[in-house]
Amino acid sequence: MSFTKNKDVDSEDIANKVQTFENIVGSSLVQKLIKSATVKCRKCGKNPLEVAIDYYLGKRSDICLKCRLLVPVIKTVVGNSISIFGISEKELIDLMQDSYWTKGLVSVIKGLGEIGIEKPFVPAAPLQVQWDLTDGELSFEQIHNAIEKLANFGVAHITFIGKTDSSFIKHANDVGMYPCLISNGFNLEKIDKYVDAGVKFVDISLESISPKKHNEKFGIDNLWENAVESIKKYSENDVYVEVSTEVTQDNLLEIPQIIEFLKQLGVGWYKLDIVNGDLNDNQRLELFKLIYMENINEDMQILTNDPQLGDITSTIQCNGMNMIPTHFFNLNYDKEAMKELGNYIGSCGAGRFYMAIDGNGDIYPCDYFRNLKIANIRDDLDSMWLNNDVLLNLRNRSLLKGKCGCCESKYICGGCRKRAFMENNDYLSEDNHCLKDIKENLLN
């Protein structure tokens, strides 16, 4: 679930490769070809972009001449991309045999044609949607129809929260998406149904190393025990498990213990919710240091919802150590040149890489912006994605205000838009909890 560096890659050359890639996909000819390839081909049954990608990946051999014209463009774009990440063409083709990876690739290439190569980058559809079904008015049939609509829109990953019927998981799987769950581990009896339906990824909350403390926080007996049992059971069924913790003053000192405990359980990812906690700046910096050092060890990938991690690690100058150019997905490379890649894929992904939906079908830039509705699932999703003012503003780092607006790290970090919105009622205002003035102490 994470990419690691190919030892044969000269990471000092990454900046040049990124620049070459930008020059190629930024050309008017390539963008025109990609943009014109989104109308369904009557002969091949899909739009030419999807047909050309399927042909490139060896998924089909029947292809008309018009669609075949796109194959060299696909090879050029994909070839330059994999040279940046240091993986082979065969590795990529093997990976892309799963429909959700192909869907993501289509969205990325389509985004290059419709939106262009921007800092930060925006695909043609969110790569992930988080859907909270806890409360709402949508019927069973409406949810099923909306799942298919999201798949046709181009969403590659869908994460369900709350009252999730196993048929939702199956339907998402059937229409080519990567179905995920967020769970507190309470409903152990549903795991077999979710596994049979094809769930591929599950996020389970664990707020303390102490069962008593965890259970008291949620007011549910045996919840900690059920969460741990869920981790084990999903792992035994080859479902990828991520564990999440909201880091607060109450559990900050427990985080190293939780990390070691999760390593023993064989957990692949551990996500720390720092944005919603109550840590002071020095505590956040020390936590970033812990995340960084743990990721360098590569025993378990540790993620966070705080975009300032990307800026912190991008400034580290230490022989033999790697930088991590994004807070939400780890790509481990050495040398400062990786900062150039981080300028495209790093910083807040709200309304760019992901969006959120509630039980009524209302859409938000992310789950932290529940009072900033931008559309409803019944609306035209393509038009929303390309034209909604809130989304366009969130993606445009030149609109950031205060310290964030004039910061050299606004593409790899840009501050936390949720914190800015909650404290200043303005999602473009500066993040008042910037760590720039104290980050030089990170490795001291």
Side-chain angles (χ1 to χ4, degrees), residues 315-333:
T315 60
I316 291 174
Q317 301 290 319
C318 189
N319 243 356
M321 286 193 158
N322 299 347
M323 69 155 287
I324 306 165
T326 166
H327 62 289
F328 54 84
F329 192 79
N330 291 333
L331 301 133
N332 299 329
Y333 286 84

Side-chain angles (χ1 to χ4, degrees), residues 88 105 171 210 222 252 298 307 333 378 443:
S88 70
L105 179 60
H171 191 43
S210 161
N222 299 316
L252 175 61
E298 296 185 347
Y333 286 84
R378 301 174 180 88
L443 289 178

Side-chain angles (χ1 to χ4, degrees), residues 118-386:
E118 302 285 343
K119 293 182 181 179
F121 176 70
V122 182
L127 300 180
Q128 181 184 38
V129 163
Q130 185 168 296
W131 197 344
D132 190 346
L133 298 167
T134 304
D135 297 301
E137 59 185 24
L138 294 180
S139 67
F140 187 88
E141 184 179 4
Q142 286 174 320
I143 293 172
H144 264 253
N145 291 339
I147 290 171
E148 190 160 346
K149 184 175 183 177
L150 290 168
N152 293 334
F153 175 38
V155 175
H157 291 64
I158 185 166
T159 301
F160 296 103
I161 309 173
K163 299 175 182 177
T164 304
D165 192 277
S166 60
S167 68
F168 302 159
I169 299 288
K170 184 179 185 307
H171 191 43
N173 220 357
D174 290 343
V175 294
M177 287 194 286
Y178 186 87
C180 313
L181 279 172
I182 291 180
S183 170
N184 60 11
F186 182 68
N187 295 316
L188 280 170
E189 71 280 359
K190 290 187 177 182
I191 291 180
D192 288 337
K193 289 184 178 180
Y194 290 145
V195 170
D196 291 342
V199 67
K200 301 193 185 306
F201 180 101
V202 62
D203 179 295
I204 298 174
S205 300
L206 198 71
E207 301 300 327
S208 175
I209 197 68
S210 161
K212 182 175 183 292
K213 192 172 174 181
H214 177 89
N215 296 340
E216 286 178 349
K217 177 174 181 176
F218 293 100
I220 302 175
D221 292 338
N222 299 316
L223 187 61
W224 188 95
E225 293 82 357
N226 286 354
V228 172
E229 185 61 30
S230 294
I231 292 170
K232 294 176 180 177
K233 194 166 183 179
Y234 277 117
S235 297
E236 288 168 0
N237 284 281
D238 295 324
V239 177
Y240 200 91
V241 176
E242 172 184 86
V243 173
S244 294
T245 300
E246 180 183 329
V247 189
T248 66
Q249 299 289 346
D250 289 337
N251 63 7
L252 175 61
L253 297 180
E254 298 180 49
I255 299 304
Q257 295 172 273
I258 297 176
I259 289 174
E260 293 307 314
F261 177 63
L262 296 181
K263 286 179 183 178
Q264 293 172 19
L265 292 177
V267 171
W269 281 3
Y270 182 34
K271 185 176 70 177
L272 299 177
D273 179 351
I274 300 174
V275 169
N276 289 315
D278 57 359
L279 307 184
N280 62 45
D281 290 345
N282 281 305
Q283 288 171 328
R284 284 172 55 232
L285 189 63
E286 286 302 311
L287 192 57
F288 285 156
K289 179 178 178 180
L290 174 65
I291 293 171
Y292 175 77
M293 298 306 296
E294 287 292 337
N295 282 334
I296 295 304
N297 293 333
E298 296 185 347
D299 294 329
M300 180 174 67
Q301 296 293 301
I302 303 183
L303 318 174
T304 173
N305 60 354
D306 194 327
Q308 289 191 23
L309 177 67
D311 178 47
I312 294 297
T313 63
S314 71
T315 60
I316 291 174
Q317 301 290 319
C318 189
N319 243 356
M321 286 193 158
N322 299 347
M323 69 155 287
I324 306 165
T326 166
H327 62 289
F328 54 84
F329 192 79
N330 291 333
L331 301 133
N332 299 329
Y333 286 84
D334 58 6
K335 307 293 182 182
E336 190 184 9
M338 278 304 292
K339 185 174 182 178
E340 185 61 27
L341 180 60
N343 286 330
Y344 289 97
I345 63 174
S347 76
C348 176
R352 183 171 65 94
F353 282 164
Y354 48 80
M355 66 182 189
I357 308 176
D358 68 12
N360 296 319
D362 291 334
I363 299 173
Y364 309 88
C366 83
D367 197 47
Y368 297 139
F369 286 85
R370 284 297 187 95
N371 47 355
L372 195 63
K373 175 184 171 182
I374 57 173
N376 186 275
I377 192 64
R378 301 174 180 88
D379 298 333
D380 183 331
L381 300 182
D382 288 293
S383 177
M384 171 206 70
W385 192 250
L386 294 175

Side-chain angles (χ1 to χ4, degrees), residues 70-90:
L70 269 174
V71 175
V73 177
I74 301 301
K75 286 185 175 180
T76 299
V77 172
V78 172
N80 280 273
S81 300
I82 62 179
S83 72
I84 292 171
F85 292 108
I87 61 176
S88 70
E89 186 175 44
K90 183 181 183 305

Side-chain angles (χ1 to χ4, degrees), residues 77-130:
V77 172
V78 172
N80 280 273
S81 300
I82 62 179
S83 72
I84 292 171
F85 292 108
I87 61 176
S88 70
E89 186 175 44
K90 183 181 183 305
E91 287 174 318
L92 177 80
I93 290 175
D94 289 345
L95 182 70
M96 291 294 164
Q97 295 309 304
D98 288 321
S99 59
Y100 44 87
W101 282 105
T102 306
K103 193 179 290 290
L105 179 60
V106 170
S107 182
V108 167
I109 296 178
K110 187 179 175 184
L112 293 171
E114 292 186 342
I115 301 171
I117 183 161
E118 302 285 343
K119 293 182 181 179
F121 176 70
V122 182
L127 300 180
Q128 181 184 38
V129 163
Q130 185 168 296

